[in-house]
Amino acid sequence: MSLSQMQVFNDYIMPATIVSLAQMIDKFNAGSAGAITLSSEGMTGDFMRESFFASLAAAQRRVDRYAAQASASATDLTELTRSSVKIAGGFGPVRYEPSQMTWLQRPTQQGVAAASTAFAELLLQDQLNVTIAALVAAIENQASLTNDVSASAGMTYGAINSGHALFGDMSGGIVADVMTGTVAHKLIGDNLTNGTRLFQAGNVNIIDILNKAVIVTDAPALYEAGSPNKSKVLGLVSGAAAVSNASDVITNVETTNGQTRIETTFQADYSFGLGIKGYTWDETNGGASPSDAELATGSNWDKVAQFDKLTAGVIAVADADQ
């Protein structure tokens, strides 16, 4: 691979990555029913703050038209703030030998395609895993939004349904359930053995999980080792989490001497923003450029919505071994 070919590789790998990532984002957003939205828009600074007015439900009162006049307490119009946080990551360095490409008579474009696709896939995986970890932490930190049956039962439709019920009359706003492949197949097994045929159309058993979109992913945060081991299912509303890609994806290709053959390394730095509906990132306790552990700490996500029903969703927790 000549020096000019190396420059082509470096110049085009980032645009190719962005194109690949955009295609994956569109597919994911369509499949998640908008519960977790991925965006290619950038985020400036360590935090992005949004302001909104607090509910004025306390200002509503009953009036007796025939009673004597009396003073009424005023309700202050209060403005609240919600913060999203920027998360930094890296990819590589990935090392290879340029002579391998010329030896195998492979065109430069194959290297660009392979590296950009791999980077885009891993970037999307990182975004999804981090988002799910943050959602699990934030929601499970709220007892009123957590249905935990892990002390006595495994994951069932009943456990998930009882989790949805925590949203009361707004449970219909839950558009997607997020679960591991193991849990999904356990529920499918329940469908297949369902004596009352609740999920049968003609002679075909339908895979249906409470008539919601299902995001099946073995994200680490959906399983917790311990006594007992726990499996977790998130029930999310539309816009539960928003991920914004920053424009500071930086790639670099460097060729060095000193070995028996010339070596080249590819490396990338990237960042993305994360916000959770009804919660704000605690800028003091969580800080800027947080680690995975900090993002997965529930106390770093402060609930700012005045009502549970205006938050990202609910969570069901069960014994993973039952």
Side-chain angles (χ1 to χ4, degrees), residues 96-164:
Y96 63 96
E97 298 174 13
S99 59
Q100 290 177 340
M101 300 292 283
T102 55
W103 182 269
L104 297 174
Q105 299 292 302
R106 291 184 180 275
T108 304
Q109 289 82 351
Q110 285 191 2
V112 173
S116 63
T117 300
F119 177 38
E121 288 175 346
L122 290 170
L123 176 54
L124 183 63
Q125 182 184 59
D126 185 26
Q127 292 174 336
L128 182 59
N129 285 344
V130 166
T131 299
I132 290 174
L135 283 165
V136 167
I139 297 173
E140 197 172 7
N141 197 45
Q142 306 297 323
S144 59
L145 294 170
T146 303
N147 180 41
D148 190 342
V149 299
S150 61
S152 59
M155 191 63 70
T156 62
Y157 284 107
I160 298 172
N161 183 56
S162 294
H164 289 192

Side-chain angles (χ1 to χ4, degrees), residues 214-248:
V214 180
I215 302 172
V216 179
T217 174
D218 290 334
L222 296 176
Y223 178 87
E224 180 183 334
S227 183
N229 298 318
K230 298 179 180 181
S231 57
K232 304 179 181 183
V233 173
L234 288 165
L236 303 178
V237 302
S238 180
V243 179
S244 58
N245 286 315
S247 58
D248 56 350

Side-chain angles (χ1 to χ4, degrees), residues 20-303:
S20 298
L21 185 62
Q23 293 170 340
M24 294 175 186
I25 284 173
D26 290 341
K27 290 180 181 178
F28 181 84
N29 288 343
S32 74
I36 299 174
T37 57
L38 306 178
S39 169
S40 57
E41 294 181 3
M43 175 178 167
T44 303
D46 293 323
F47 312 105
M48 182 174 68
R49 301 179 183 92
E50 300 174 85
S51 296
F52 60 97
F53 289 111
S55 171
L56 292 175
Q60 187 178 35
R61 54 191 171 81
R62 182 64 57 215
V63 175
D64 183 347
R65 298 296 181 189
Y66 298 97
Q69 284 283 32
S71 61
S73 299
T75 300
D76 293 327
L77 184 62
T78 306
E79 195 171 19
L80 303 176
T81 302
R82 181 177 77 92
S83 290
S84 300
V85 63
K86 182 183 282 188
I87 302 160
F91 177 77
V94 177
R95 183 174 56 221
Y96 63 96
E97 298 174 13
S99 59
Q100 290 177 340
M101 300 292 283
T102 55
W103 182 269
L104 297 174
Q105 299 292 302
R106 291 184 180 275
T108 304
Q109 289 82 351
Q110 285 191 2
V112 173
S116 63
T117 300
F119 177 38
E121 288 175 346
L122 290 170
L123 176 54
L124 183 63
Q125 182 184 59
D126 185 26
Q127 292 174 336
L128 182 59
N129 285 344
V130 166
T131 299
I132 290 174
L135 283 165
V136 167
I139 297 173
E140 197 172 7
N141 197 45
Q142 306 297 323
S144 59
L145 294 170
T146 303
N147 180 41
D148 190 342
V149 299
S150 61
S152 59
M155 191 63 70
T156 62
Y157 284 107
I160 298 172
N161 183 56
S162 294
H164 289 192
L166 296 174
F167 254 35
D169 60 356
M170 291 185 67
S171 62
I174 296 174
V175 297
D177 288 304
V178 186
M179 63 191 68
T180 65
T182 299
V183 170
H185 282 283
K186 181 181 184 299
L187 296 175
I188 292 170
D190 292 343
N191 285 356
L192 297 174
T193 59
N194 190 343
T196 57
R197 299 298 184 188
L198 291 176
F199 304 99
Q200 187 179 38
N203 61 350
V204 178
N205 288 298
I206 301 170
I207 299 172
D208 187 319
I209 300 178
L210 301 177
N211 197 32
K212 311 290 183 181
V214 180
I215 302 172
V216 179
T217 174
D218 290 334
L222 296 176
Y223 178 87
E224 180 183 334
S227 183
N229 298 318
K230 298 179 180 181
S231 57
K232 304 179 181 183
V233 173
L234 288 165
L236 303 178
V237 302
S238 180
V243 179
S244 58
N245 286 315
S247 58
D248 56 350
V249 176
I250 303 170
T251 62
N252 186 55
V253 177
E254 184 177 279
T255 301
T256 58
N257 299 327
Q259 302 295 318
T260 56
R261 293 180 300 277
I262 297 171
E263 291 182 333
T264 295
T265 58
F266 164 72
Q267 190 167 341
D269 289 335
Y270 64 89
S271 68
F272 56 91
L274 173 62
I276 299 179
K277 184 176 182 179
Y279 299 85
T280 184
W281 176 251
D282 193 317
E283 297 181 13
T284 300
N285 293 327
S289 192
S291 65
D292 286 341
E294 289 167 333
L295 290 162
T297 299
S299 58
N300 287 336
W301 294 98
D302 302 329
K303 186 163 78 74

